């Protein structure tokens, strides 16, 4: 089995795999089997979230893999995320426990604040996952400072419910704010990052602060086509520059895009409902891009952000 590179997280020194399996948009019906097959193929990081609506099924796949001796629990890195409606102190613990229950595990290896956005509470008994809206299909903001949320996240660590905690979708100003009051600094910042959105200043800041980065949407607009959110951008998997690098290395364009990120020391979490692609995505440690190839791919940057809450409501333009 391929031994993948890892990144050591600052506070705990725990080794987080650089290539994981993302659960966003993995359909419920196939999720348990997909997770089982991903673990069997060698993946050791599963990246989930309450908002993805498939934690129970992902947990079934994980439990089956453990029962069949494919993996031990301690060999699998499970990441999940706290949704925007649960930012208040009294909701963080309750929903983290609910999510652990859905997964059927005792702790998360990494638990992230999904967005630096607080929305009004929606009782999970009423609707779960709650998504961005109230029952009236409108966005309702809540006055919960990130400090309250972060300090409660730290209590999850104290209680043994999360080994590491971090943030997601955070720019530099938010990271610097969290560091002013953090007992436990964010271990990871998970952000959208691909050749159309290269985010060099944020990478540099996180490296300086010792915060690991997980890149999501590594393949760019492709993930958003079915959601109607690709913003008319050319498919990176069919871009001339990426195609030419791929043919030189005898690799797929997806493998090249993932390698481009991993070579920068970034973790990646590609998802695929297709088993063959799932296997290919895992093989990104087996070749190296030249410096010129990396630069050529980075030169595609157009600061195109595909996952922008401002598209949902102008009051949550966190990247403005």
């Amino acid at each position: 089995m391929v031994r993948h590179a890892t990144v050591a997280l600052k506070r705990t020194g725990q080794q987080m795999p650089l290539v994981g399996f993302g659960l966003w948009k993995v359909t419920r019906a196939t999720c348990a089997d997909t997770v089982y097959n991903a673990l069997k193929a060698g993946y050791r990081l599963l990246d989930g979230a309450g908002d993805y609506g498939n934690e129970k099924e992902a947990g079934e796949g994980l439990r089956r893999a453990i029962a069949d001796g494919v993996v031990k629990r301690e060999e699998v890195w499970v990441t999940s995320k706290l949704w925007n409606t649960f930012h208040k102190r009294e909701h963080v613990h309750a929903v983290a426990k609910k999510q652990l229950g859905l997964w059927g595990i005792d702790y998360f290896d990494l638990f992230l604040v999904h967005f630096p956005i607080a929305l009004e509470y929606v009782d999970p008994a009423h609707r779960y996952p709650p998504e961005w809206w109230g029952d009236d299909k409108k966005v309702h903001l809540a006055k919960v400072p990130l400090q309250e949320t972060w300090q409660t996240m730290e209590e999850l660590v104290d209680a043994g419910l999360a080994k590491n905690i971090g943030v997601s979708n955070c720019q530099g100003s938010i990271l610097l704010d969290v560091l002013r009051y953090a007992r436990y600094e964010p271990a990871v910042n998970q952000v959208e990052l691909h050749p159309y959105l290269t985010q060099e200043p944020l990478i540099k800041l996180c490296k300086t602060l010792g915060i690991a980065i997980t890149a999501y949407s590594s393949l760019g607009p492709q993930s958003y086509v079915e959601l109607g959110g690709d913003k008319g951008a050319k498919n990176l998997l069919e871009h001339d520059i990426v195609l030419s690098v791929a043919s030189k290395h005898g690799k797929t364009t997806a493998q090249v895009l993932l390698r481009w990120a991993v070579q920068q020391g970034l973790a990646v979490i590609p998802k695929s409902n297709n088993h063959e692609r799932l296997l290919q995505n895992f093989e990104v440690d087996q070749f190296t891009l030249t410096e010129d190839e990396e630069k050529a791919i980075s030169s595609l940057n157009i600061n195109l952000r595909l996952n922008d809450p401002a598209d949902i409501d102008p009051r949550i333009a966190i990247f403005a």
Side-chain angles (χ1 to χ4, degrees), residues 58-95:
E60 283 164 18
L62 173 60
R63 285 201 301 283
R64 198 191 319 155
I66 292 169
D68 289 358
V70 175
V71 289
K72 298 187 175 83
R73 166 64 186 101
E74 59 273 19
E75 292 168 345
V76 181
W77 185 284
V78 180
T79 297
S80 194
K81 307 178 190 82
L82 176 83
W83 186 242
N84 312 334
T85 49
F86 305 113
H87 277 212
K88 270 184 108 106
R89 177 174 294 283
E90 60 265 32
H91 299 141
V92 174
H93 278 273
V95 82

Side-chain angles (χ1 to χ4, degrees), residues 180-320:
R180 290 179 189 126
Y181 46 75
R183 270 192 305 133
Y184 303 140
E185 295 183 1
V188 173
N189 185 16
Q190 183 174 129
V191 295
E192 178 182 344
L193 203 150
H194 44 75
Y196 285 157
L197 183 67
T198 53
Q199 304 231 54
E200 283 96 346
L202 182 62
I203 293 175
K204 190 174 175 187
L205 175 66
C206 286
K207 284 193 171 159
T208 305
L209 297 173
I211 297 172
I213 289 185
T214 298
Y216 71 76
S217 299
S218 298
L219 308 182
Q222 191 47 34
S223 317
Y224 294 84
V225 173
E226 69 200 72
L227 307 172
D230 60 334
K231 305 194 175 177
K234 181 176 170 61
N235 186 345
L236 271 172
L237 297 168
E238 293 165 7
H239 197 290
D240 302 348
I241 288 178
V242 185
L243 280 164
S244 118
V245 173
S247 77
K248 269 187 210 148
H249 289 274
K251 298 289 173 188
T252 68
T253 47
Q255 286 171 322
V256 166
L257 293 171
L258 294 169
R259 181 67 204 164
W260 170 84
V262 168
Q263 226 166 283
Q264 296 179 66
L266 311 175
V268 292
I269 43 170
K271 84 103 177 80
S272 183
N273 286 311
N274 171 303
H275 191 65
E276 192 182 339
R277 281 199 295 273
L278 174 152
L279 295 173
Q280 288 170 349
N281 290 343
F282 195 52
E283 292 167 358
V284 296
D285 272 5
Q286 297 174 15
F287 66 108
T288 304
L289 302 176
T290 67
E291 200 177 322
D292 286 348
E293 287 169 340
E294 276 204 86
K295 278 189 182 142
I297 295 169
S298 296
S299 75
L300 300 176
N301 182 47
I302 47 173
N303 296 320
L304 174 73
R305 191 178 292 283
L306 297 154
N307 187 10
D308 191 344
D311 299 337
I312 295 168
D313 187 309
R315 297 171 302 157
I316 48 178
I318 52 175
F319 303 114

Side-chain angles (χ1 to χ4, degrees), residues 174-186:
I174 297 262
L175 294 174
L176 295 177
D177 184 59
V178 173
L179 292 180
R180 290 179 189 126
Y181 46 75
R183 270 192 305 133
Y184 303 140
E185 295 183 1

